[in-house]
Amino acid sequence: MPADKGKKKAHLLGFMQNGFNSHATGMWRHPRDKVNWDYGHYDYWQHIARVLERGLFDAIFIADQLAPYSTYQGSSDASVKYAVQFPCNEPSTIVPAIATATERLGIGVTLSTAFEHPYSMCRRLSTLDYQSKGRIAWNIVNSFSHGEWSAYGVEHRDRGDRYERLEEYMEVCYALWDSWEDGAIIADKAAGIYGDPAKIHEVDFKGKYFRCKARHFVPPSPQGRPVLWQAGSSDRGRDFAAKHAEAVFAVHPTIARMQEYSTDLERRATEKFGREPGSIKRIYGLQTVVGETRAQAEEKFERIKECIPLEGALAWISGHFGIDFSQYSLDENVANIQVPGIQGLFESILYAKDGAPVTVKEAALTYAQGMGMPVAVGTAADIVDQMEVYLDEGGADGFMLATTFTPGCYEEFVDWVVPELQRRGRYREQYSGTTLRDHLLEY
């Protein structure tokens, strides 16, 4: 079948953590997970990055949390016992290793604004973006879990003002990133003049939450500033994403939820914040299990689900949603439970069965499989069939591909699924630019 050049093409990103076990709880038990690889060594990350670049992915996206989940039974014991995203290294430390092993692959890092001043945040991000020649994205997050706040010895702030604080945080970041004008670097050896002080402006910011009086310490990268990524799904989170994000990561288990989110985000961006239509790329979470036959893929998926420990799954949803699920019956309908944590992701659980009641046990096991993302199981053709529906009917611009066993799940996707996407005209044949923003704006 000839490729239809009028079809929407997909953006692809790999979704991982810089840790022992990412977003499929218990996957470290899988016989094909990290065979002869150590997650803490650069060669593991460089191999995965090369695989993703061979598959022409936009980026690898590194998720994070700042401390072990400790909400379940008031302790992090279960997180330790079942390797629930434990242990986990700091995300930006692997950026140089990935950047030096690749030439085009973008690198998204999740960095929290909760305990770091915007000046040091901008300096670190601008350094990474400059060194990688413009391939960095920042996933902007506020820390949310009890374990994170306890680790930093800070009383949990009122959630009611967190977006007001975050808006001011971004004001400081923009002021710093925009403070270098074109032509600021003169580098005249004969005259001994390096920079033009009139074109490298001093930021003097005095706000309710932050103060900053300094020049930005790092020159602009080829893309000027990192790509801004966001994953807010609550009402206020959607407003923040609609105002600031160049791309969003969202988890929706059904076409109807994807459609609602896509339409709502576009309306907010254009009507409320005056942005151009299509300014925000919508990247939806997806987990894939590919086989040479549908039966083989389904058998592989069963092996994956068998690795999930129920108590570990309960520890994860407790940590993510800020409530101790050990106090509820496993048969309790989760719709009856109020959660203080990430409401947008909690909705992915509420709608996991397309409106039918979901028990605490079902919610935990579904979430532990891959954060409630839809799962595509089958041959490469089956998986692309499902992806096309999400592209054409769900409003997706691309997919954040959650891991199962690594690095094999990405090797199989690149070898089997990418060629099928290309055959149908749904994916790039080569990179057309050099920066991550180039990739996102390519189509």
Side-chain angles (χ1 to χ4, degrees):
M1 180 188 298
D4 182 349
K5 297 187 181 300
K7 291 180 179 179
K8 181 192 284 188
K9 290 183 170 65
H11 296 273
L12 296 178
L13 295 93
F15 184 54
M16 301 185 70
Q17 278 189 286
N18 184 10
F20 180 61
N21 197 95
S22 291
H23 300 88
T25 304
M27 193 47 52
W28 65 275
R29 304 169 62 196
H30 195 283
R32 291 185 59 192
D33 188 64
K34 301 183 197 67
V35 177
N36 297 323
W37 293 105
D38 187 322
Y39 79 95
H41 293 168
Y42 280 165
D43 56 355
Y44 169 73
W45 292 101
Q46 290 175 328
H47 174 74
I48 289 176
R50 291 186 185 106
V51 169
L52 298 184
E53 185 163 85
R54 178 164 60 82
L56 303 174
F57 276 45
D58 287 53
I60 182 170
F61 188 98
I62 311 300
D64 192 39
Q65 83 263 1
L66 298 178
Y69 297 123
S70 60
T71 306
Y72 183 74
Q73 297 180 340
S75 167
S76 58
D77 284 358
S79 295
V80 173
K81 185 176 181 179
Y82 299 108
V84 181
Q85 295 184 318
F86 180 94
C88 187
N89 295 338
E90 201 279 334
S92 65
T93 57
I94 57 173
V95 172
I98 292 172
T100 55
T102 56
E103 295 182 355
R104 295 289 184 268
L105 184 73
I107 309 156
V109 285
T110 299
L111 296 172
S112 173
T113 63
F115 311 110
E116 182 169 359
H117 192 278
Y119 185 82
S120 62
M121 179 70 77
C122 281
R123 187 185 185 204
R124 181 173 9 154
L125 284 165
S126 292
T127 299
L128 295 172
D129 203 36
Y130 187 89
Q131 290 175 334
S132 66
K133 302 178 182 178
R135 292 192 277 149
I136 302 300
W138 175 27
N139 180 34
I140 308 163
V141 298
N142 267 314
S143 292
F144 60 88
S145 76
H146 299 313
E148 291 174 307
W149 289 88
S150 296
Y152 282 82
V154 179
E155 292 278 335
H156 201 307
R157 292 193 185 105
D158 179 7
R159 288 178 64 88
D161 76 341
R162 66 185 183 124
Y163 278 107
E164 180 185 0
R165 180 180 180 276
L166 189 53
E167 286 288 350
E168 189 171 294
Y169 199 104
M170 296 308 300
E171 285 185 52
V172 182
C173 290
Y174 291 138
L176 290 164
W177 281 326
D178 295 343
S179 63
W180 285 59
E181 294 184 26
D182 291 341
I185 299 176
I186 299 169
D188 186 334
K189 291 184 179 182
I193 304 297
Y194 175 75
D196 183 350
K199 292 186 177 182
I200 304 175
H201 303 283
E202 184 177 69
V203 171
D204 189 0
F205 185 93
K206 297 182 179 69
K208 179 179 177 181
Y209 301 95
F210 301 103
R211 293 193 170 205
C212 178
K213 183 176 174 61
R215 283 187 167 94
H216 190 34
F217 226 2
V218 184
S221 74
Q223 63 178 2
R225 64 170 73 153
V227 171
L228 299 182
W229 216 284
Q230 234 283 308
S233 293
S234 66
D235 180 67
R236 189 63 188 85
R238 291 186 185 198
D239 268 354
F240 183 83
K243 180 179 179 180
H244 297 282
E246 297 171 77
V248 293
F249 166 43
V251 175
H252 296 293
T254 66
I255 290 290
R257 298 303 298 170
M258 291 180 188
Q259 290 172 334
E260 185 278 330
Y261 179 82
S262 294
T263 301
D264 181 60
L265 188 68
E266 183 74 1
R267 178 187 59 78
R268 292 174 192 245
T270 56
E271 297 179 10
K272 196 167 186 176
F273 298 106
R275 299 180 65 179
E276 290 295 319
S279 296
I280 307 171
K281 297 298 183 184
R282 291 155 296 195
I283 311 298
Y284 289 151
L286 180 67
Q287 196 172 54
T288 64
V289 183
V290 63
E292 293 181 345
T293 66
R294 196 172 300 174
Q296 183 192 68
E298 290 170 351
E299 182 179 348
K300 287 170 69 173
F301 187 42
E302 289 304 312
R303 299 293 81 75
I304 288 167
K305 290 190 289 185
E306 288 172 359
C307 293
I308 302 172
L310 177 58
E311 190 174 30
L314 290 166
W316 192 17
I317 63 169
S318 296
H320 249 210
F321 302 133
I323 188 169
D324 182 3
F325 279 91
S326 70
Q327 63 186 308
Y328 295 98
S329 165
L330 292 176
D331 297 323
E332 176 76 44
N333 185 346
V334 292
N336 298 331
I337 300 173
Q338 295 291 321
V339 301
I342 311 175
Q343 279 86 6
L345 285 176
F346 191 62
E347 285 189 5
S348 72
I349 297 300
L350 294 177
Y351 293 95
K353 293 168 64 176
D354 208 10
V358 179
T359 67
V360 167
K361 180 178 180 180
E362 289 172 329
L365 293 176
T366 298
Y367 201 76
Q369 179 185 300
M371 290 176 60
M373 298 180 187
V375 184
V377 181
T379 65
D382 293 329
I383 289 171
V384 175
D385 285 346
Q386 192 165 332
M387 294 172 79
E388 286 190 304
V389 173
Y390 296 151
L391 289 167
D392 296 338
E393 299 179 24
D397 293 306
F399 303 96
M400 194 77 74
L401 298 176
T403 58
T404 51
F405 52 88
T406 58
C409 66
Y410 287 139
E411 293 168 338
E412 291 179 350
F413 188 94
V414 167
D415 290 339
W416 295 356
V417 182
V418 164
E420 181 66 15
L421 283 165
Q422 292 172 324
R423 188 183 71 82
R424 300 192 196 186
R426 291 293 195 169
Y427 195 57
R428 61 170 63 96
E429 299 284 343
Q430 60 185 13
Y431 291 115
S432 63
T434 59
T435 70
L436 176 52
R437 191 170 282 112
D438 287 340
H439 305 159
L440 286 173
L441 297 178
E442 182 182 351
Y443 47 79

